[in-house]
Amino acid sequence: MNLKQEEIEIADYEKVVKFTDADSGLTAIIAVHNTDLGPGLGGTRIYPYKKFEDALTDVLRLSKGMTYKAGMAQVGLGGAKSVIIADPKTEKTPELLHAFGEAVNTFHGTYICAEDVGCTPEDIEIILQKTKYACGVHNLRGSGNPSAYTAWGTFLGIKSALMHLENHTSLEGKTFAIQGVGSVGRRLIELLFWEGAQLIISDIDDAAVARCAHQYAAKVAAPDEILYVDCDILAPCALGGVFNEETIPNLRCKAIAGAANNQLLNESDADLLSKRGILYAPDFVINAGGLINVMHELSPDGYQAPRAREMTKKIYQQLIDIFEIAKQKKISTHQAAVSIVDHRLEHGIGKRSEELFFRFAPIEPSHALTS
Ligand code: NAD
């Protein structure tokens, strides 16, 4: 291993470092946005970015989003994220993940990595062979797949939106459009199905969308149509940047409440949604369930699912409050949520008071998968 690092100066970010290792082929960026309330915990996205600048833009946006997600959820954590520029299907090797683990070590615990798009809990087990600063594993003391918590938090957020708009939380007969039937999307679809919702779903993976449509009696929309179908609630569960000057004028939903990160292309797009009278559940509030679940793995007394569940439940009331503040102050819901977290960051409200406990390192090689 021949790990090289190069710090990239970015205003308002605590530390951004590019790592390369010629032996394993690693090119990665770790971005720590803010650790005022605790160490920065954020997933490692493994993606074949076409240009280094694209990867940098993504990691900066995602790490800042984590600061706001953690600050809102009051988990005593900061905001950070990492990206590895590689195709997870063909270029992910144990050597690459080991080199990345060494890169994580250089942050001495101000950055803790976890799974994300392209990075599985099995990959985290391999990273844990080189660093203790990683979490989100499947073993009997781990927190498992975060998607169930993310989907459930999103489901509760949908109920908050209905309560705000219609003063009830019944999903019976309401129409939902869900973009993306991946790990979170399909779990959300199942929760909606059991409550009698009408479903319109879409994915670029034809087989996955056909399976879901059959199982949950959903209609299918083409990927370029799903944002524009007539529905009560639109739930983006695939990509970032879906709401922008081009898409917003053509939306036909009453509210947006979905799990995708960085849904707004620009912060000003929140105002465009407000002007159109579309209620927006800020992404970093509604999709915090996964973060809440994974951080419980680092509790000194061990992961306990009921605690993660009870904390995730708070998303419902947080959104009710945010919707009300936005209405009273005549500001966007995004701005209302950002202001709450900015106030907490300024005054250290929710700052971590007890040490995190890193119980899984070094993991025995036999516990980890080799592919
Ligand atoms: P995933 O990769 O399992 O699923 C994403 C799905 O979106 C895939 O099925 C993919 O084919 C589909 N997709 C991609 N482009 C599409 C398009 N143009 N139209 C329709 N479908 C498209 O990811 P996931 O874990 O389900 O996460 C979904 C979103 O939620 C991501 O934005 C992720 O960052 C965010 N998120 C996930 C979690 C979590 O716990 N997994 C937590 C917080 C936020």
Side-chain angles (χ1 to χ4, degrees), residues 29-88:
I29 312 169
I30 298 179
V32 175
H33 174 253
N34 187 299
T35 57
D36 287 356
L37 302 181
L41 193 161
T44 299
R45 184 160 291 192
I46 307 181
Y47 189 80
Y49 296 95
K50 290 210 172 72
K51 289 187 290 190
F52 180 79
E53 288 68 32
D54 296 344
L56 183 60
T57 303
D58 211 21
V59 78
L60 294 180
R61 278 169 60 86
L62 288 163
S63 58
K64 185 173 177 185
M66 291 307 293
T67 298
Y68 284 87
K69 193 183 299 196
M72 179 58 72
Q74 295 201 279
V75 286
L77 291 170
K81 201 90 179 182
S82 57
V83 293
I84 297 178
I85 305 176
D87 186 334

Side-chain angles (χ1 to χ4, degrees), residues 230-249:
D230 205 346
C231 61
D232 292 290
I233 295 197
L234 173 60
C237 297
L239 314 164
V242 279
F243 301 117
N244 52 55
E245 283 176 358
E246 274 178 35
T247 58
I248 291 170

Side-chain angles (χ1 to χ4, degrees), residues 68-354:
Y68 284 87
K69 193 183 299 196
M72 179 58 72
Q74 295 201 279
V75 286
L77 291 170
K81 201 90 179 182
S82 57
V83 293
I84 297 178
I85 305 176
D87 186 334
K89 291 203 178 96
T90 56
E91 293 174 308
K92 196 166 65 180
T93 60
E95 293 74 25
L96 183 103
L97 296 172
H98 284 162
F100 179 72
E102 295 289 6
V104 172
N105 269 334
T106 67
F107 279 75
H108 305 290
T110 55
Y111 174 58
I112 303 156
C113 72
E115 66 131 27
D116 199 78
V117 175
C119 180
T120 64
E122 289 77 17
D123 298 332
I124 294 297
E125 293 192 4
I126 296 172
I127 293 169
L128 276 166
Q129 292 167 359
K130 293 292 174 186
T131 180
K132 62 179 181 176
Y133 302 116
C135 59
V137 294
H138 269 323
N139 70 29
L140 287 180
R141 290 181 300 150
S143 58
N145 191 324
S147 303
Y149 283 79
T150 306
W152 190 60
T154 305
F155 178 71
L156 296 177
I158 284 172
K159 294 208 163 201
S160 314
L162 282 173
M163 180 53 98
H164 182 81
L165 290 174
E166 302 185 0
N167 218 21
H168 68 81
T169 59
S170 168
L171 274 53
E172 195 77 45
K174 298 276 170 214
T175 304
F176 293 79
I178 297 100
Q179 181 189 44
V181 302
S183 211
V184 178
R186 69 170 181 273
R187 287 178 167 88
L188 176 64
I189 288 165
E190 180 171 3
L191 292 167
L192 296 170
F193 170 79
W194 291 119
E195 297 233 355
Q198 307 289 317
L199 301 166
I200 307 172
I201 64 174
S202 186
D203 201 293
I204 49 170
D205 180 337
D206 291 340
V209 86
R211 268 197 308 276
C212 244
H214 176 65
Q215 204 168 358
Y216 303 112
K219 290 184 184 154
V220 176
D224 58 356
E225 287 172 356
I226 188 71
L227 295 179
Y228 313 118
V229 299
D230 205 346
C231 61
D232 292 290
I233 295 197
L234 173 60
C237 297
L239 314 164
V242 279
F243 301 117
N244 52 55
E245 283 176 358
E246 274 178 35
T247 58
I248 291 170
N250 300 311
L251 299 176
R252 289 197 289 155
C253 56
K254 293 180 188 145
I256 294 167
N261 278 315
N262 294 125
Q263 293 172 26
L264 305 173
L265 187 61
N266 297 298
E267 294 208 32
S268 56
D269 293 321
D271 299 321
L272 296 183
L273 289 171
S274 302
K275 281 191 191 125
R276 282 225 43 213
I278 296 172
L279 183 69
Y280 170 63
D283 46 14
F284 64 82
V285 184
I286 193 170
N287 74 11
L291 171 69
I292 291 168
N293 187 51
V294 80
M295 64 82 60
H296 277 85
E297 189 174 300
L298 304 177
S299 297
D301 48 355
Y303 175 73
Q304 292 176 41
R307 283 192 194 164
R309 181 189 60 197
E310 292 314 301
M311 205 175 204
T312 305
K313 251 191 202 170
K314 293 182 180 169
I315 290 173
Y316 175 82
Q317 192 57 45
Q318 283 164 0
L319 281 167
I320 292 279
D321 294 345
I322 288 163
F323 295 152
E324 195 51 37
I325 291 168
K327 190 172 157 189
Q328 298 291 333
K329 295 192 171 173
K330 297 189 172 40
I331 55 176
S332 73
T333 53
H334 174 79
Q335 193 49 50
V338 164
S339 311
I340 291 171
V341 179
D342 280 342
H343 176 78
R344 289 179 184 166
L345 289 169
E346 197 181 327
H347 299 282
I349 297 167
K351 194 174 161 70
R352 170 155 295 279
S353 54
E354 61 179 12

Side-chain angles (χ1 to χ4, degrees), residues 129 363-369:
Q129 292 167 359
I363 221 166
E364 291 301 317
S366 59
H367 292 175
L369 303 184

